[in-house]
Amino acid sequence: MYRIVKHEVFSDAAFQWDVLAPDVAQAAEPGHFVMLRLYEDGERIPLTVADYDRERGTVTVVVQALGKTTREMRDTFKQGDEFADFVGPLGLPQHIDKVGHVVLVAGGLGVAPVYPQLRAFKEAGNRTTAIIGFRSAERVFWQDKMAEYADELIVCTDDGSAGRPGFVTMALQEVLEREGPKPDLIIAIGPMPMMHACTDVSRPFGVKTMVSLNTIMVDGTGMCGSCRVTVDGEVKFACVDGPDFDGHQVDFKELHARQRRFKTQEQEANADFEHVCSLDELLIKQGKRTYKKYSALERTQVPMPEREAQQRAQSFDEVNLGYDWASALRESERCIQCLKPTCIEGCPVRIDIPRFIRHLMLRDLDSAVDAIYESSPFPSVCGRVCPQESQCEAQCVLVKAKMEPVAIGRLERFVGDFAAQRPVQPPQVEQQLGKVAIVGSGPGGLAAAADLVKRGAECTVYEALHVVGGVLRYGIPSFRLPRDIIDREVNRLRDAGVRFETNKVIGKTFTIEQLTSSMGYDAVFVAAGAGAPMFLGLAGESAGQVFSANEFLTRVNLMGGDRFPYHGTPIGMGKRVAVIGAGNTAMDCLRTARRLGADEVRCIYRRSEAEAPARVEELRHAKEEGVVFSFLHAPVEILLNEDGDVRGLKAQRMMLGEPDARGRRSPVPLDEFVEFECDTVIYALGTKANPIVGRATKGLALDKRGYIVADDATQATNLRGVFAGGDIVTGGATVILAMAAGRRAARAIGDWLQSGHADWPPPPTDATASTPSETLTP
């Protein structure tokens, strides 16, 4: 990284940076240039060296704020800031010798690179005349510096507001025509048309005219050939053969044509930059909201690109490909930044959704992801698997205007995926909060650990399986949630100081009592999930080809069953698969079976499609991938052959009756039956409480279904220092609801420990307060 030790703005058009770069300063000579890059994926900008101080180790560049990057350099980067790359010195230095009378002509920004050459020619014993031109007096800079080394200084302005009116070429013409010492050499540096015009003026007088061709460069080292120019009929490269050439031999017509090649893209970039600046002024500096009218919005969401159905049904590669920059920015513009954002109320962890979208609109991914991290440590996970359509997006104000809601989940995923992965350091706290054991490394446990470690707790997460992630690992296939995404999010927590212990079954390896006594933990948060599968008790369900969804998905997601026999875990799935249920887990089973090569995969569900609990997108993906749906059918028997293997499933036709307690219409059986041919049956009917922790923890209050009883606000159980949350308390739910419980528990645990282990149970905390607002320190 390179530091800006001076930042001076001359006008809206030009500014100066002094950059601390001792190696470059030691080697720099008049005529050299450098390549500057602000950050990763940024463009490389060629800048002529305007000055250098070998003792201070600084190099001066003067930059014209013309395009998106240079305007960002002027407006965003400040003195003391650092940037990525400063390469040089590059090119050949100007040949400095005593030649007699040297005229140096500079147009606008060209004054800066002309200055070290003027100084060098003067110090070599030459007579020097400097002609400098600007559009107006407001843009004049370095006049005093130039006067110090010029025997004659001629200042020109286009509008006549300073010096003499007119272009520098007019002044050059007069110098060439007047009596007195004739020029022996002309140096012209400035915009391409100006240098071209100078060569046309000097050609009739036969005076050699050197021009500096810092044309469009990419690498600056002679590798790419972008800066090629024809000089005296021969192709030269400005970055290694120049940048100074005899202007009378340069093919300027060719150069002008080459410089036009990016004009359209530069205009688009400038328009985008202007738009971002106006948004920054309006939304950040002025703090205004509801900045758009509904009539100006696209009525539908920007589509999410997906893999083609037939291709993806044969692969475990991710189906949804995610937004690119253009799509994400286009969708972010659909957020009107309303004054009272109801979307936040719809988010179980209360992400400040308008704020992260606001930063995205301003192209500030670091601030966008930081806004999410304040409430959720897993934007890339939640952006993929959370049912946003029934939560935050359902509360979007656009819905009331009969438009599709802002695609909040897709934008969250984009921010999580594309924001720079900054190193995470353990938070610096004055005093340790205490030791906390977390049982289970699923979303609830990880969310609690993320918040607790920020408050200074020493957190250890105990996981029964051999990998961290819980249901994120064993329950969700990689085509919905790639494993590298989970690894990345978990590693952030590990870097922040969270410890992970795998292959430790709490209730077997250690008990809760051991954790809170001999192992020295001040508090325990149980987030073990509800992993015990549910069956229907049908005849034939004890056959070997009948799976629970947990077993089926675990064999694939966790144990490499999709690669058997090259990996050691068999699945034993046949060619015709029937899945009972229509939730998201059922969709995962159906789509996984297709990818494992089943010829027919059928979903059997006793209600209609409208009542199916799966996400609409999951249902659509399953249909596109060839899944057959048999709605309004309730399984009554699994049919077996003589060997006791599954040969089919018998189902009873249903019709919909009155709505049940949850508002879904209840299925009513009809006196009609159908048999579906299949050789594998998978139960995807939800889960119930895993009894291991409950049975092993003496005195822990459980409800009649075996779930741990915990306070809704604090997640505190009846045992002192023991908290519980997620599916082990509520029954099977969603990733984001488990995370919300983990954050509530972290808040309550932190407050309880901070209070010195006050009376039990702890008092309710403010459920709307964020558990600390600072992000994990990068």
Side-chain angles (χ1 to χ4, degrees):
M1 301 292 285
Y2 293 85
R3 190 166 78 252
I4 306 163
V5 296
K6 181 180 180 181
H7 182 152
E8 180 180 355
V9 176
F10 299 137
S11 66
D12 62 342
F15 61 95
Q16 172 183 330
W17 276 12
D18 286 2
V19 178
L20 186 62
D23 292 343
V24 182
Q26 285 297 321
E29 298 290 348
H32 275 149
F33 69 94
V34 294
M35 296 297 291
L36 180 149
R37 190 179 68 133
L38 296 180
Y39 38 66
E40 191 68 26
D41 298 328
E43 63 175 322
R44 292 168 65 93
I45 305 172
L47 298 170
T48 305
V49 172
D51 205 353
Y52 43 86
D53 188 322
R54 305 197 200 283
E55 291 186 5
R56 292 177 60 221
T58 60
V59 175
T60 299
V61 291
V62 176
V63 187
Q64 185 174 10
L66 184 63
K68 175 181 179 294
T69 301
T70 50
R71 293 167 74 179
E72 185 177 5
M73 291 170 65
R74 179 193 64 191
D75 300 334
T76 304
F77 285 77
K78 307 299 180 185
Q79 185 170 311
D81 288 349
E82 294 184 335
F83 60 94
D85 297 323
F86 195 73
V87 184
L90 299 169
L92 299 176
Q94 177 66 269
H95 181 69
I96 306 295
D97 202 353
K98 186 175 181 180
V99 295
H101 182 195
V102 182
V103 177
L104 299 104
V105 187
L109 194 73
V111 169
V114 153
Y115 170 73
Q117 298 198 31
L118 167 67
R119 181 177 59 193
F121 275 111
K122 182 61 181 175
E123 290 176 345
N126 294 283
R127 173 182 174 81
T128 57
T129 298
I131 304 172
I132 58 176
F134 303 91
R135 288 187 181 179
S136 63
E138 292 77 17
R139 298 198 173 190
V140 175
F141 69 93
W142 281 16
Q143 183 174 349
D144 292 342
K145 290 170 69 76
M146 297 291 288
E148 184 180 354
Y149 294 99
D151 294 302
E152 180 184 13
L153 176 64
I154 303 172
V155 179
C156 308
T157 53
D158 295 356
D159 62 2
S161 56
R164 55 171 289 171
F167 297 150
V168 292
T169 48
M170 298 168 59
L172 176 61
Q173 179 85 27
E174 292 180 9
V175 170
L176 287 166
E177 291 176 345
R178 72 188 179 185
E179 296 295 327
K182 300 294 183 182
D184 298 293
L185 175 67
I186 297 171
I187 308 291
I189 303 179
M192 193 73 67
M194 174 234 125
M195 293 189 293
H196 189 182
C198 286
T199 62
D200 287 343
V201 169
S202 64
R203 184 176 281 108
F205 295 90
V207 180
K208 185 176 182 179
T209 302
M210 301 295 291
V211 295
S212 181
L213 299 183
N214 271 348
T215 54
I216 299 170
M217 299 184 190
V218 175
D219 73 298
T221 64
M223 176 269 292
C224 72
S226 175
C227 60
R228 61 188 181 275
V229 56
T230 301
V231 180
D232 196 21
E234 185 179 350
V235 174
K236 301 284 186 179
F237 297 100
C239 62
V240 291
D241 299 319
D244 296 315
F245 296 98
D246 186 339
H248 295 157
Q249 299 178 352
V250 170
D251 188 335
F252 277 101
K253 182 178 179 181
E254 173 191 279
L255 275 181
H256 291 313
R258 285 181 57 75
Q259 284 209 312
R260 289 195 298 270
R261 62 179 175 154
F262 297 126
K263 185 176 181 180
T264 300
Q265 291 91 332
E266 288 172 349
Q267 289 173 341
E268 291 173 354
N270 285 334
D272 179 74
F273 189 77
E274 290 286 357
H275 176 62
V276 172
C277 289
S278 66
L279 285 179
D280 182 70
E281 174 67 27
L282 193 68
L283 299 177
I284 303 298
K285 296 177 182 177
Q286 298 182 23
K288 292 186 177 180
R289 299 292 178 266
T290 318
Y291 82 107
K292 267 190 174 183
K293 296 181 178 179
Y294 288 119
S295 59
L297 302 178
E298 292 188 58
R299 300 192 65 83
T300 59
Q301 296 176 347
V302 176
M304 169 82 83
E306 304 169 349
R307 295 188 192 278
E308 189 272 331
Q310 186 174 359
Q311 176 200 49
R312 72 189 189 224
Q314 302 174 37
S315 166
F316 279 83
D317 292 339
E318 189 172 15
V319 171
N320 286 330
L321 301 178
Y323 281 158
D324 57 13
W325 262 105
S327 298
L329 294 175
R330 180 179 153 198
E331 182 62 30
S332 72
E333 291 279 353
R334 298 184 66 243
C335 176
I336 66 170
Q337 296 290 308
C338 47
L339 284 171
K340 297 181 180 179
T342 51
C343 56
I344 298 176
E345 298 297 328
C347 175
V349 295
R350 297 184 61 80
I351 293 171
D352 190 340
I353 294 165
R355 181 155 66 97
F356 99 70
I357 294 179
R358 188 156 63 245
H359 287 302
L360 172 57
M361 292 165 67
L362 296 173
R363 287 51 164 172
D364 185 359
L365 282 188
D366 286 346
S367 296
V369 79
D370 284 345
I372 298 173
Y373 281 151
E374 289 180 8
S375 300
S376 167
F378 312 126
S380 291
V381 172
C382 293
R384 286 170 165 83
V385 303
C386 284
Q388 294 94 1
E389 65 279 359
S390 62
Q391 296 179 153
C392 53
E393 293 179 11
Q395 301 297 320
C396 178
V397 296
L398 299 190
V399 174
K400 297 177 181 178
K402 308 299 182 183
M403 288 187 271
E404 289 187 0
V406 176
I408 297 168
R410 296 173 182 176
L411 295 179
E412 181 183 8
R413 166 186 167 152
F414 174 83
V415 170
D417 286 359
F418 282 83
Q421 296 302 305
R422 291 167 289 171
V424 176
Q425 300 294 333
Q428 301 298 313
V429 294
E430 293 182 4
Q431 185 176 1
Q432 288 296 318
L433 191 63
K435 289 180 62 178
V436 181
I438 296 175
V439 181
S441 68
L446 295 178
D451 280 354
L452 282 166
V453 78
K454 284 188 283 188
R455 290 189 67 171
E458 181 182 326
C459 289
T460 302
V461 178
Y462 290 97
E463 170 55 52
L465 298 172
H466 58 282
V467 290
V468 174
V471 70
L472 302 176
R473 288 277 188 183
Y474 71 78
I476 302 178
S478 58
F479 56 79
R480 277 215 295 140
L481 181 59
R483 291 333 183 216
D484 62 323
I485 296 295
I486 303 172
D487 291 338
R488 190 184 72 194
E489 306 286 34
V490 168
N491 285 335
R492 278 183 55 82
L493 297 183
R494 186 175 278 114
D495 292 343
V498 178
R499 293 180 59 229
F500 293 94
E501 294 278 351
T502 55
N503 301 310
K504 300 294 188 295
V505 182
I506 302 304
K508 297 294 185 180
T509 312
F510 309 121
T511 64
I512 299 293
E513 184 180 5
Q514 285 177 297
L515 292 174
T516 58
S517 57
S518 61
M519 297 177 70
Y521 287 100
D522 299 294
V524 175
F525 175 52
V526 181
M534 292 184 0
F535 293 90
L536 293 174
L538 301 181
E541 73 179 18
S542 61
Q545 297 80 29
V546 179
F547 296 84
S548 70
N550 274 3
E551 178 190 358
F552 179 70
L553 292 174
T554 297
R555 284 180 173 272
V556 176
N557 298 335
L558 205 62
M559 302 165 69
D562 55 313
R563 298 185 294 278
F564 182 81
Y566 312 108
H567 281 232
T569 302
I571 295 178
M573 186 193 76
K575 291 298 183 181
R576 292 177 179 269
V577 178
V579 176
I580 303 172
N584 289 325
T585 300
M587 297 304 113
D588 288 340
C589 292
L590 292 159
R591 299 172 66 196
T592 296
R594 284 290 291 155
R595 285 159 172 76
L596 293 176
D599 294 333
E600 180 183 280
V601 180
R602 182 182 300 273
C603 175
I604 299 172
Y605 183 53
R606 64 188 184 132
R607 289 183 166 92
S608 71
E609 181 175 357
E611 283 74 37
R615 300 179 69 183
V616 172
E617 182 180 73
E618 296 302 310
L619 285 163
R620 175 175 62 82
H621 282 167
K623 289 178 183 178
E624 292 172 349
E625 291 167 12
V627 171
V628 179
F629 286 85
S630 295
F631 293 110
L632 293 170
H633 285 80
V636 295
E637 182 183 357
I638 296 173
L639 306 174
L640 308 179
N641 61 21
E642 295 176 354
D643 296 327
D645 296 331
V646 174
R647 66 173 179 82
L649 184 146
K650 183 178 181 180
Q652 185 173 19
R653 295 187 187 275
M654 313 295 283
M655 64 175 288
L656 292 180
E658 296 301 316
D660 62 12
R662 292 198 293 174
R664 294 191 303 171
R665 296 176 65 188
S666 300
V668 177
L670 302 174
D671 193 22
E672 299 178 36
F673 297 87
V674 63
E675 293 184 6
F676 297 111
E677 184 180 348
C678 62
D679 48 23
T680 304
V681 175
I682 301 172
Y683 279 76
L685 299 170
T687 57
K688 57 186 178 182
N690 190 310
I692 293 177
V693 172
R695 287 176 181 172
T697 308
K698 185 178 180 180
L700 181 62
L702 308 175
D703 66 14
K704 61 182 181 181
R705 300 173 300 163
Y707 293 106
I708 298 174
V709 177
D711 181 77
D712 291 339
T714 65
Q715 306 301 141
T717 71
N718 65 308
L719 297 183
R720 184 180 182 82
V722 179
F723 299 75
D727 292 0
I728 194 62
V729 171
T730 62
T734 62
V735 167
I736 193 68
L737 288 174
M739 287 177 58
R743 299 201 74 221
R744 285 194 298 273
R747 187 182 307 118
I749 292 169
D751 291 348
W752 185 67
L753 295 179
Q754 211 162 33
S755 70
H757 304 199
D759 293 340
W760 192 263
T765 56
D766 180 4
T768 64
S770 62
T771 307
S773 61
E774 67 270 15
T775 58
L776 296 177
T777 305

